[in-house]
Amino acid sequence: MSPQRQDINISLHRQFFPSLRIVPLIKSPGPPGIYEFHDEVLRQLLSAENDFPASSVLHYMAINGCKTVVIENPYVDKGHLDSYSEFYSRMFREVNRFTTRMHFFSEAFDEYAIARELLVGRRVYRDKALGYLGFSVIRPLPAYKIGRTVIAPPPLNKETEFILGHSGFSVNLSGLALKASGFPFMQQDTEVSCCATAALYMATKSLSQRFNYVDSTPAQITALATRFSVETGRAMPSSGIKYGQILEALRAMNYAPNYYCPIHSPREAQALIYSYLESEFPLILLLYSLEQFEGHAIVTVGHDLKAREALGIEATLSGILGEYRIGTYPCYSRSEWVEHFFVHDDASGPYRRISFCSKGDIEDLCLKLIASRKEKRRYKTAFHKKFDEYPCPLIIEATSYDPKAKKFQTRHIPFLLMGITVPLPPEVTLSIQRVADVTAGLLNLIQASFLIEKSPVGNGQIAVLPQRGVVLRPFLVLSSDFKSSLRDKRKRLPWEVELVYKGLNLPRYIWLVEIYDLDAANDFNSDTVCLSGEIIIDPSARPYSKDYMAVHVLNKAEKKGFLWVNRNGTDFLTPPTEIKNDRGHSPLFRSFER
């Protein structure tokens, strides 16, 4: 392009798009681990207080290969405008009602290129062509600046690391139709919203996008949470909201939340979080900070999987979720294969890793933060008292950016888990504990009462399922998604089972319990993993019934299985249909590729 043509393009860009500024994310490439970000990017993102979330955004954009940042200013953000109307407009010192929106792209381009595409229109850019990585709204506040943000997660192993429940959010940049894919994030502003408000916003924003549920701004969430009870006398500036107010806000948004408290062990916590997270329902974890000595709230968004070689009786479902042991057949929880969970923490940033740990590990980490020997003794006493109340420790990994050293630094923050809140639809009344109870009871009955002929004929009979036990992956799924997924899996069900499932009259949601043998549980290859059956349970069933909708189990070695269909809502097993040439099948819904 001639210099004259370039001048025309840049002149047109500045004349018609004065709100757009284009800068590179990084000034110049440096040695590994050294990041020299553009001054304007740092000025917009970093603030005087709590730069962990902004550092996380910078870090993920750098490792995702972001090359270009489009800064859109001024930008009208619905959430900030609502907060301005409810609170900031009453302040004597002026607070800007407009925000700045930053767009991140993995392709390199400048003002000449964007002017050509926006004005000349020779080629329509799409989000994939531009390498769109998402956006972040920057509030005009001195601190806690990160507003509504949707950015791509860091690079993950698609077979063993999963971000669940993320959606595509439509974005319009001066006429360019883009799509940001990720889980929504927001930082509290400490005045209109607190950490629990941010957690509620992130969880319900994701659900509203995917299921068309109620979508509320942070100011509306604070108003809903405090409409009946405010300990400080006024809702704003916010001094925090309690778990009862969190539940009240969710009920006002037409959810039917489950609240689990106390949590007796890390294993119990992992089993609860895993099952609801696999259902793509984000959970709100209520924490107690062992640094700040106050409550905190975060949102779970994903998890990883790691192979397990051996499992003890403490890892069975009855050892984790139930107070009663049903039979002797070992049924293990898939959550035992989880090493880390991914969370959105408004204090440390999006897609942070958390791990549950032992009492000794968390105590050692806490004592390292204290220099004085006298203070350590005093802290130990307070720690043991708090641990007796909440015996479920965890560690959050946080990242901060040092502009002078041009490096990211990682630190680990200790917490205790106080409770878990799950925002569920009203039609889901059966808890995961009851699902585990019903499942374990059915499998013990099947293993004890039903045998198949060994091949060749005349070699006796054996149980359907392996004697070593099975691994269960329970999760909620829309019945329409379940039926449509039957034709998409790599290894299909026997045709008679598939037809029965497609013809079943099912509620809107179902509890689907996938059954793995121990070898399949350690197989993370989505092309080869093979199930040993599944159980379908009505999530609106009576709490203490043993009602089920369908059970399908098989013996892979003998290629034989059984199918039970419960059309009348009975609590006992109906006569089964024997399935021949039943070789095993892929996970029925959402295979390991997300």
Side-chain angles (χ1 to χ4, degrees), residues 12 35 60 90 98 104 142 152 169 210 226 252 278 352 392 401 409 412 415 455 473 504 563:
L12 288 172
Y35 300 92
Y60 292 144
R90 298 183 175 93
F98 296 108
F104 304 98
F169 291 80
R210 290 170 44 240
T226 56
E278 280 292 293
R352 306 312 309 171
C392 190
Y401 178 71
Q409 300 173 338
H412 297 92
F415 290 91
S455 298
R473 177 193 175 215
L504 276 180
L563 173 66

Side-chain angles (χ1 to χ4, degrees), residues 17-37:
F17 299 97
S19 63
L20 299 184
R21 184 178 177 190
I22 301 169
V23 298
L25 178 71
I26 296 176
K27 283 184 178 179
S28 58
I34 302 297
Y35 300 92
E36 187 176 1
F37 294 104

Side-chain angles (χ1 to χ4, degrees), residues 446-467:
I446 290 170
Q447 195 70 352
S449 306
F450 294 89
L451 301 173
I452 60 174
E453 295 288 342
K454 286 187 68 176
S455 298
V457 177
N459 280 4
Q461 295 179 319
I462 59 172
V464 181
L465 294 169
Q467 295 297 332

Side-chain angles (χ1 to χ4, degrees), residues 1-13:
M1 181 183 293
S2 66
Q4 183 179 5
R5 183 62 176 166
Q6 287 183 347
D7 291 341
I8 293 173
N9 275 342
I10 193 61
S11 175
L12 288 172
H13 176 270

